[in-house]
Structures are given as C-alpha cells and as structure tokens.
Amino acid sequence: MDIKATVLDILNDLTGSDVSGAMDDNLFDSGIMDSMASVQLLLSLQSELGVNVPVSEFERSEWDTPNKIIAKVETLA
Amino acid sequence: MLTFEPYGNPTYFALLGVALLPLMIGLLYGKRSRLYETLVSIFFLVLTFGGSKWTQGVALIIYILYEVVLTWGYAVYRRNHNSGPLFYLMVILAIAPLTIVKVTPAVENGQSSLIGFLGVSYLTFRAVQTMMETRDGTLKNYNIMTFLQFMLFFPTISSGPIDRYRRFEADYRSVPDRDKYLGMLQKGIRYLFVGFLYKFILAYYFGTILMPKLQLMAMHSRGGFLDISWPLIGYMYCYSADLFFDFAGYSLFAVGTSYIMGIATPMNFNQPWRSPNIKDFWNRWHITLSFWFRDFIYMRLVFWFMKHKIFKKPTTTANVTYIINMLIMGFWHGVTWYYITYGLFHGVALVVNDTWLRYKKKHRQSIPHNKFTQIFAIFLTANLVCFSFLIFSGILDKIWFLK
C-alpha cells in the first residue's frame, strides 16, 4: 500500500473527517488536530508503516497540513 | 560595584545600546564577531550577577558547569548506547538543582535556597530539552561552546523566552543577509519601544500605582461570603493586567535585544486576550513555556501512556495528562497551595474545554456559531483566565489566612 493512501487513512481515522479534499489546510489552526492527535499519528505511523518518528522530530510547522505530513513521511520511510 | 536587574532602568538600556552598536554595524556588513559577542555577554552577566549579588553569580557558575558535565557526558554516552534508566537518571540529575531551589522555601519557612539564582528555571528547561533531543537522536552534534552560548545568551537568561538548542544554533552559526538583518533590526527596535510602553507605563500604572490600593481596600473589605468584595474583583483584573504587561514587556525586551543581535528568539505572547478557549489561550500566553511543557512533558507522557496501553480510551489518556502537565507547571511556579491550585484549575479547564470541543464537533448542526457566540467565548475565556490569576496572585492566601 502506498504511503499517501495510508497516511490519509490514518488522518481520516484520527480526525473523524475526510481531509483528502483539503490537502493544504492547516490541521492545527482549524482545530482538527492537537498534540494528542499528533502523538496518535506518530504511533500509527510506527505500527502501520514502520516509520519511527521521535517526538522531538515533530516540529509542528513541518507537520501541519496533509500534504506536508505525507512529504515528511516519504522522507522518513 | 553596581548590579542591574535585566532591562530594569534607563542606564541598563543605555549600556545595552552602546554595547550593541558595534555588533549591529558588524552584522550590517555580514560579520559576526564571536569574541565580541562573548565579551558583551560576559559584561551583562557580570552586571546582573556581580556586585552585591555575587553569591548568585557563584551559584550560576557552579550550576552551568554541572549542567555542562551532564549534557556533554550524556551526549558522548549516547553516541553508542541508549539505556532508558540511565536517561531518566540524567534528567532527574539535571532538574535536581531546580527542585531543591523550588522546594527549599516551602520547607524552610520561606528561606530561599543558597544554590538559587535569577533564571535557574529557564536554564534548566534548556538543559533538559538538550538532553531529551540528544536521546531522541535529533540532536547529534552536541558542542560544549554552542551549549554554553545557548545557556548563557544574556538577553534571555533571566526569564526566557525559552529557545531551542537546534534553532538557536542555526541562527548563531549564520549571519543574516543585509535585507533580512534590516528587517530584524526594525522589528527589534519596535519591540523595545512597545516593551517600554508595556513595562514602564502600563505595568507601572497597574502594578505600582493601582494594585497596592486595591489590595489594601480588599483587605479592609473582608467579612463577606468567602471574604469576596468589589475591591478584590478589581484587584483580580488589575493583577492580570499587571502580570501581562510586565511579562509581555520583559519578553519584548528580550526578543527585541535578540533580534538586534541577529538571533530570532521566539515570541512569548500572541494576543492572549483574544483566545476563544483555554486551549487556544495556552498557544498565545507564555508561549515558549507552554510549548516546552507541550513538547517535553505532555506529548512524551501521552506517547508513553499510549505505547504501554495504560488507559483504554485516548480521551482518558489526554485528560489525565492534561492534569499531570498543568500540576507540574503549578509546582514549578512554587510549592504553595495557590500555585498548585492554579495548575489544577488550568488542568481541569483544559479537560472541560476538550470535552466541550468534542461535543461541539459531534453536534455541529445544532450549536449556533456566530459573532455573538465568538465574543461570548472570548469574554468567558478572559474572565476564567483572570480568575486563575487571582488564585495565582496569592492574595487569597493573605485575605483568608492573614490575621
């Protein structure tokens, strides 16, 4: 399964809303994501893609839109 | 010899201006003289921690050496090993001096600890953060000289903002180009002047002129239900205004001075009084502290709880961690009933806030959202915050328990 689809699945599960229509929207500004959801995202990335992201790698401004998250995961995978 | 409180009086600013002028000219011509910057830093550190405060200076030097040994030792160890218990031990050792400083007044009848000095908290935050990022492997090239510059960067040494090692290092190792530096210079000078307005006019009015009067009136108006009176309510708003203008003013000085030195120290306040809820308030108030707590306590605890499946539901994990996080923040302010209550109050407020946000998300259609509800939310948040500052101020301790 490719990274983009998996990340979108994780995000949809986490936020309870479909984010695929707004790939450049800031997830934190709109309140869809918060610190708790960030940690859940990191744990899901680990379990579903085997991508290990330590908490201090999570600089919020680099992870705040679906597109940025996908790009980040692709560099780390 | 004279000692100065950082940004405390016109002489300090005059000295600052003279000391920074060569540095500004250098940066405008694309040069950063580490030697000169170090000399300026030492000069201002001596102004703050020398003279009659020399015991604090000695405490600072010993403390810095101690943290250097710990962080450097850990960085060397971490190159080839990664033991969990050793990491926890190192973190405990790194916060041990701060813990002693914070607990001493509570057990020694208000006596302050001999190992304390102005800014010990803020230095501890920086050291612990350096250690945690070393463990995570995100900070790989720990350098003692950079660490010292980062810890002892004089504009922010006494009360923050709390920068991050990697961010500071990137700025410190580079020289901004002329356009960028001119922008920083302009911002820096504007910050200093807004700081003057906040700290020397507004905070002076609220804190020095108005607050003592209101406190006296509140003490004389005791006797009603819980000793609450109109002057006490006035005190609540006055104290909140003073707290904001005093600390935001200081922070503007610290950030402004950093910008003039070509270092983009992060901002500490971002219009906190327009937050529509408590969660957003903590993204706008004392930002570098609340983000430090978010990144190094909240997220790490949540991560640990979820990885070890301690709680069944993610919401329980979030709620328990909110309370722990804010209680630690309360204890950090000092071991008194009112600081701890203040922490607990904000922990509970965050839990309630999150529950409400979840409810609102589920019932989006049936809950009105318009200009009026927005204004009401801002009003409610501001008043809740002011009430929490009333607890924080410690005046209730005097009103209720002072005979």
Side-chain angles (χ1 to χ4, degrees):
Chain A
M1 201 167 163
D2 76 321
I3 286 173
K4 188 176 170 182
T6 315
V7 170
L8 280 178
D9 267 359
I10 295 172
L11 285 177
N12 291 350
D13 271 359
L14 260 178
T15 61
S17 46
D18 186 15
V19 297
S20 60
M23 297 294 283
D24 289 309
D25 279 14
N26 189 311
L27 297 163
F28 290 95
D29 285 354
S30 54
I32 294 174
M33 292 267 293
D34 60 7
S35 313
M36 178 71 199
S38 312
V39 175
Q40 287 175 294
L41 170 68
L42 299 187
L43 286 164
S44 304
L45 290 176
Q46 200 170 47
S47 63
E48 289 183 33
L49 288 167
V51 177
N52 263 314
V53 189
V55 176
S56 53
E57 194 70 64
F58 192 88
E59 171 60 46
R60 205 181 258 209
S61 61
E62 294 169 7
W63 293 78
D64 55 9
T65 73
N67 269 335
K68 282 192 197 170
I69 294 171
I70 292 164
K72 259 293 190 196
V73 176
E74 276 167 351
T75 62
L76 293 162
Chain B
M1 206 183 99
L2 287 169
T3 54
F4 287 87
E5 194 188 318
Y7 314 109
N9 62 34
T11 318
Y12 187 91
F13 282 96
L15 290 170
L16 198 60
V18 172
L20 293 186
L21 199 62
L23 211 146
M24 282 154 68
I25 296 168
L27 283 170
L28 278 172
Y29 286 95
K31 290 205 167 43
R32 197 189 265 291
S33 161
R34 306 247 185 281
L35 178 67
Y36 184 73
E37 281 180 354
T38 308
L39 289 175
V40 169
S41 260
I42 292 172
F43 175 72
F44 281 96
L45 291 175
V46 171
L47 280 189
T48 308
F49 297 103
S52 59
K53 290 189 196 144
W54 67 274
T55 49
Q56 282 201 32
V58 173
L60 170 71
I61 293 169
I62 296 172
Y63 172 87
I64 285 289
L65 291 175
Y66 174 77
E67 297 291 347
V68 164
V69 169
L70 287 179
T71 49
W72 173 75
Y74 185 70
V76 171
Y77 163 85
R78 182 65 185 83
R79 278 185 213 145
N80 299 310
H81 311 273
N82 186 13
S83 137
L86 186 97
F87 166 71
Y88 294 120
L89 175 72
M90 294 304 267
V91 172
I92 290 168
L93 287 176
I95 60 175
L98 178 62
T99 313
I100 294 168
V101 169
K102 291 290 177 183
V103 172
T104 303
V107 294
E108 298 273 342
N109 295 319
Q111 285 268 322
S112 50
S113 165
L114 280 174
I115 63 166
F117 56 89
L118 183 69
V120 59
S121 301
Y122 294 91
L123 292 188
T124 305
F125 290 133
R126 282 171 228 177
V128 169
Q129 165 224 316
T130 304
M131 214 173 250
M132 289 196 176
E133 297 203 337
T134 304
R135 164 128 215 248
D136 278 359
T138 40
L139 199 166
K140 286 197 180 70
N141 41 0
Y142 174 92
N143 175 297
I144 290 182
M145 283 317 284
T146 311
F147 181 72
L148 280 175
Q149 294 282 0
F150 170 57
M151 292 286 273
L152 295 172
F153 185 58
F154 83 90
T156 60
I157 192 167
S158 63
S159 310
I162 309 156
D163 207 348
R164 304 283 170 99
Y165 180 98
R166 285 179 294 152
R167 206 214 62 75
F168 177 85
E169 184 185 35
D171 276 7
Y172 186 72
R173 291 251 168 107
S174 65
V175 181
D177 64 51
R178 187 175 285 188
D179 276 351
K180 193 181 166 202
Y181 181 63
L182 280 172
M184 291 178 86
L185 204 54
Q186 194 182 356
K187 264 192 185 160
I189 289 167
R190 199 183 73 224
Y191 289 160
L192 289 185
F193 279 88
V194 178
F196 288 140
L197 170 72
Y198 278 19
K199 181 135 178 129
F200 296 127
I201 297 176
L202 294 166
Y204 178 78
Y205 174 72
F206 286 112
T208 311
I209 310 271
L210 204 54
M211 211 156 70
K213 287 183 192 151
L214 285 166
Q215 175 165 350
L216 209 63
M217 283 162 74
M219 290 299 275
H220 284 304
S221 314
R222 291 190 285 184
F225 174 68
L226 288 175
D227 295 313
I228 295 167
S229 62
W230 287 111
L232 185 68
I233 293 169
Y235 181 89
M236 172 174 95
Y237 291 115
C238 182
Y239 179 86
S240 304
D242 177 49
L243 189 67
F244 171 68
F245 287 120
D246 186 72
F247 197 32
Y250 158 81
S251 299
L252 284 164
F253 294 149
V255 174
T257 309
S258 308
Y259 270 59
I260 293 170
M261 295 176 74
I263 306 273
T265 294
M267 258 300 183
N268 241 354
F269 292 89
N270 174 22
Q271 305 181 313
W273 300 108
R274 56 180 295 182
S275 324
N277 59 53
I278 294 285
K279 206 171 175 175
D280 191 47
F281 174 78
W282 284 109
N283 288 329
R284 296 166 173 277
W285 176 275
H286 203 176
I287 299 167
T288 59
L289 178 80
S290 83
F291 284 9
W292 192 95
F293 270 78
R294 180 191 76 192
D295 295 348
F296 298 103
I297 296 183
Y298 183 85
M299 286 183 65
R300 273 154 214 272
L301 267 178
V302 165
F303 195 92
W304 193 86
F305 282 144
M306 300 211 34
K307 207 170 172 181
H308 294 85
K309 301 195 169 59
I310 307 286
F311 303 105
K312 263 193 198 135
K313 283 164 49 183
T315 47
T316 315
T317 312
N319 291 343
V320 169
T321 320
Y322 275 141
I323 303 277
I324 298 175
N325 189 63
M326 295 318 265
L327 266 179
I328 295 175
M329 193 190 273
F331 271 100
W332 165 68
H333 280 294
V335 188
T336 65
W337 71 264
Y338 43 91
Y339 290 142
I340 295 161
T341 310
Y342 165 80
L344 193 62
F345 179 90
H346 272 286
V348 172
L350 284 168
V351 170
V352 173
N353 190 181
D354 244 21
T355 312
W356 162 248
L357 288 176
R358 270 196 305 277
Y359 179 85
K360 201 171 131 186
K361 204 170 169 183
K362 254 188 214 156
H363 303 81
R364 206 170 276 155
Q365 277 77 30
S366 52
I367 296 169
H369 182 88
N370 52 44
K371 212 163 200 163
F372 177 77
T373 61
Q374 195 67 11
I375 291 168
F376 175 72
I378 291 171
F379 176 80
L380 185 67
T381 307
N383 278 281
L384 271 175
V385 167
C386 288
F387 177 70
S388 76
F389 289 158
L390 178 71
I391 303 172
F392 181 83
S393 74
I395 195 178
L396 295 176
D397 194 51
K398 293 182 192 128
I399 291 236
W400 289 343
F401 307 118
L402 208 68
K403 287 286 172 276

